[in-house]
């Protein structure tokens, strides 16, 4: 994986899937905040039980607000259960980050919606355009779409604490 500096401060933790990078990302956010860095954005939140199913969520790092981003399509459904309306509501957190003095903005992941040209893509581009360092998570499955979306300009990080710190420090020096 390339952990060198990039012309833009955009990086993704590349992982095998099933939330394997979420705990590492949360620990990194806590470490940054302990050093008085301002980190905002969205992280993967806990699942919440609702009636006969569970909902995946994203969580606002500043306010703690949970946004349920999946919907119950029934046990026979094979369609994507992501709720586009809920994603749009959660994207407000990323748009508000554009007005903050953030040292780093977290976008919970580059997943199926982003790979299809939707999801948080506009917010990621707006943040990068305004010079904010952005860190996300991408599974190997979506790595080709990530590379196409970023034009190969983003840094791909191993899911290791030191790789995150090295990238963060280099992105701050480049700013």
């Amino acid at each position: 994986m390339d952990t060198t500096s990039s012309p833009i401060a955009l990086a993704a933790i590349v992982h095998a899937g099933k939330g394997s990078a979420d705990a590492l990302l949360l620990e990194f956010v806590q470490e940054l905040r302990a050093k008085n860095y301002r980190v905002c954005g969205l992280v993967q939140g806990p699942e919440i039980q609702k009636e006969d199913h569970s909902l995946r969520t994203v969580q606002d790092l500043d306010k703690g607000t949970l946004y349920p981003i999946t919907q119950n399509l029934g046990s026979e459904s094979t369609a994507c259960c992501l709720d586009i309306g809920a994603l749009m509501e959660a994207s407000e957190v990323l748009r508000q980050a554009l007005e903050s003095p953030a040292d780093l903005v977290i976008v919970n992941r580059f997943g199926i919606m982003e790979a299809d040209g939707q999801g948080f893509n506009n917010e990621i581009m707006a943040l990068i355009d305004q010079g904010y360092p952005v860190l996300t998570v991408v599974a190997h499955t979506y790595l080709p779409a990530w590379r196409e979306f970023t034009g190969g300009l983003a840094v791909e990080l191993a899911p290791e604490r030191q790789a995150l710190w090295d990238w963060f420090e280099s992105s701050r020096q480049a700013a």
Side-chain angles (χ1 to χ4, degrees):
M1 304 231 158
D2 179 15
T3 58
T4 60
S5 64
S6 171
I8 58 172
L10 176 61
I13 304 168
V14 180
H15 66 98
K18 299 293 182 192
S20 61
D22 293 329
L24 172 66
L25 184 59
L26 285 173
E27 289 171 15
F28 184 58
V29 167
Q30 291 170 349
E31 290 175 17
L32 288 168
R33 286 182 164 178
K35 294 181 182 280
N36 294 317
Y37 288 110
R38 171 96 169 93
V39 183
C40 61
L42 295 167
V43 294
Q44 197 69 25
E47 286 189 3
I48 38 180
Q49 295 300 316
K50 185 174 182 181
E51 299 160 13
D52 63 345
H53 65 285
S54 62
L55 299 173
R56 286 185 297 164
T57 66
V58 292
Q59 185 169 19
D60 179 341
L61 280 168
D62 281 336
K63 298 176 185 164
T65 305
L66 291 178
Y67 296 89
I69 58 168
T70 56
Q71 54 191 332
N72 183 5
L73 300 177
S75 60
E76 301 298 316
S77 176
T78 58
C80 177
C81 64
L82 285 173
D83 183 336
I84 294 172
L87 284 171
M88 293 307 299
E89 184 180 345
S91 71
E92 178 62 26
V93 172
L94 299 174
R95 288 190 299 279
Q96 288 174 356
L98 288 164
E99 305 300 321
S100 74
D103 294 304
L104 177 64
V105 179
I106 305 291
V107 178
N108 72 304
R109 63 189 9 85
F110 182 92
I112 190 167
M113 296 298 291
E114 290 77 17
D116 286 340
Q118 301 173 50
F120 298 135
N121 286 357
N122 289 338
E123 289 76 13
I124 292 170
M125 295 307 294
L127 288 160
I128 291 302
D129 190 49
Q130 294 297 316
Y132 288 90
V134 176
L135 178 62
T136 191
V137 173
V138 64
H140 288 283
T141 305
Y142 302 114
L143 201 49
W146 170 252
R147 289 174 177 158
E148 184 176 331
F149 172 70
T150 65
L153 297 176
V155 176
E156 296 172 11
L157 301 170
E160 300 167 358
R161 180 182 171 276
Q162 191 58 51
L164 299 180
W165 275 106
D166 290 347
W167 171 78
F168 180 72
E169 289 301 327
S170 70
S171 72
R172 292 197 46 79
Q173 291 172 4

